[in-house]
Amino acid sequence: MSNYTSLWESLGLDMDRHDQLMAALGPMYAEMFLAQPNRPEAMAYYDFVVSEIHGLRVRELADHRKNGGKVVGTFCVFSPDEVIQAAGAIGVGLCAGSQFWVPDGEQYLPRNLCPLIKAIVGAKTSLTCPYFESADLIIGETTCDGKKKCWEILNEHIPVHVMNLPQMKREKDTAAWAGEIKDLITKIEAVTGNTVTASKLAEKIDLINKRRTVLQRLYNTRKASPVPISGKDCLLISQLAFFDDPARFVAKAAELCDELERRVADGIGVFPKDAPRVMIAGTPQAIPNWQPHHIIETAGAAVVCEETCTGTRYFENLVTPVNNDLEAQVQALAERYMQINCACFTPNEGRIDDVKRLAREYRVDGVIYYNLQFCHGYSVEYRKVERALKEQGIPVMMIETDYSGSDAEQVRTRVEAFLEMLR
Ligand code: BJ8
């Protein structure tokens, strides 16, 4: 990674603090990922991507910008990647999942706020994230209150375009979201100097649909028993999908799926067949927030599904392809995105149905509801999810935590007791 020093300097990174950040990542990755037994061979690609996490891809972004291209940072699965791509820009997910950035964020934000939001602001203001420093524009969206207000602060550091996400799902709300997508097209055309044509948009709708389809294929393999890949590895793949070049991601994930499907046919798994099957439901796990999976899987259970925005909410439902009609394409995009069941919507019964359906499809023995501290939308929704699962006879427990890891032992004890009960 030392080969990238001049690249990082050119981005204006705080080199000492960046070194501290990188020093922590390697040993953590080795302990959590490389030590897992019987990993699929195709995980070697993702190990390589992580070993180059602030290197190769950041250089690709720098080369793209050197050639006049733009980079757009996103934070939510409502940001339409198709539009970013169709304007010739590169989109990167900037959601931050490390405690490293939280104290920096707390210099601008109250402490009693979701750690993901504090880490977003801290990642920018600490000058330690080369992806943030490569971005020409940020897309924010009006989901939870904390994020809404965070864009005003971020906008003092980097241009932010905010999309106004309606919080009900009536026909007029879908129409309003289509209007927001049109405004985004105008904004990105102005930033990139490129026109979003119907043929370009059709091409990128197809590409991003392929990314969703390969993730669906990956998740399908997790329905098997024994499960052919760990939940931790799947979470990592999903997190990396937000960064990687979409076409390359699709090709590499398809190679992995080939191997996993062979494993399923041969009955090869990474956990014993009788290991409890657990689904995580709740708030997203931005990279490198791997701790919940690590605790559950080192306690002997298999995480077989994530009903989160770093899981099924990211890739379920495709955009209906409509060629050569920009208006109809925007409508198709709006309709697909409005199917995402984030807790910012009211009512949000669709999410309860999703949890029940996924629990059935992935044959889970129990659900662990993961809630980032101070995320009120998901925390309030827990009662309904709990009731619905109990009606189906599926045990559920809630973990509410932040990124600090200060409660890791307590969480581990509670998870172990829950798994014991499942057994
Ligand atoms: S679509 S879940 S990615 S908003 S930041 S809501 S954890 S208090 S991330 Fe999200 Fe889009 Fe919805 Fe998904 Fe809670 Fe924290 Fe807010 Fe969060």
Side-chain angles (χ1 to χ4, degrees), residues 75-78 114 116-117 143-144 147 283-284 309 313 340 342 372 374-375 378:
F75 296 96
C76 175
V77 294
F78 273 93
C114 160
L116 189 143
I117 301 173
T143 48
C144 61
K147 270 188 166 177
T283 49
C309 288
R313 283 200 292 277
I340 299 170
C342 172
L372 283 172
F374 306 115
C375 176
Y378 282 91

